[in-house]
Amino acid sequence: MSSWSAGTYAAYYHDSGFWLDGILKANRFSQEIRGKMTGGGMHSGISAPWRWEQVFEEGKIWSQER
């Protein structure tokens, strides 16, 4: 099995206290499968799926000034 991944992260902060974070990531896994069937024949296959992930969070920082 082999795999690789790549991603990026971004953050935004505003003077009003508002913030936004984001992550975008791509993964790819590749594997070759070989096996012997019950009837004695050989069979093989390749699997190489992609997976995409994204996460976004937002919020506001509140302060209590006296």
Side-chain angles (χ1 to χ4, degrees):
M1 176 187 264
S2 64
S3 67
W4 67 264
S5 64
T8 186
Y9 170 80
Y12 172 77
Y13 297 94
H14 190 269
D15 291 338
S16 67
F18 172 78
W19 58 268
L20 176 66
D21 289 338
I23 298 171
L24 179 61
K25 184 177 170 186
N27 300 304
R28 181 166 172 117
F29 302 95
S30 179
Q31 62 184 354
E32 184 175 352
I33 302 165
R34 295 181 198 166
K36 188 173 182 179
M37 305 299 285
T38 306
M42 298 297 291
H43 188 72
S44 65
I46 296 174
S47 174
W50 284 90
R51 178 177 174 144
W52 296 91
E53 300 175 51
Q54 61 185 12
V55 177
F56 294 100
E57 294 182 339
E58 64 181 60
K60 174 130 172 92
I61 298 172
W62 299 93
S63 64
Q64 294 180 350
E65 296 181 17
R66 295 178 188 231

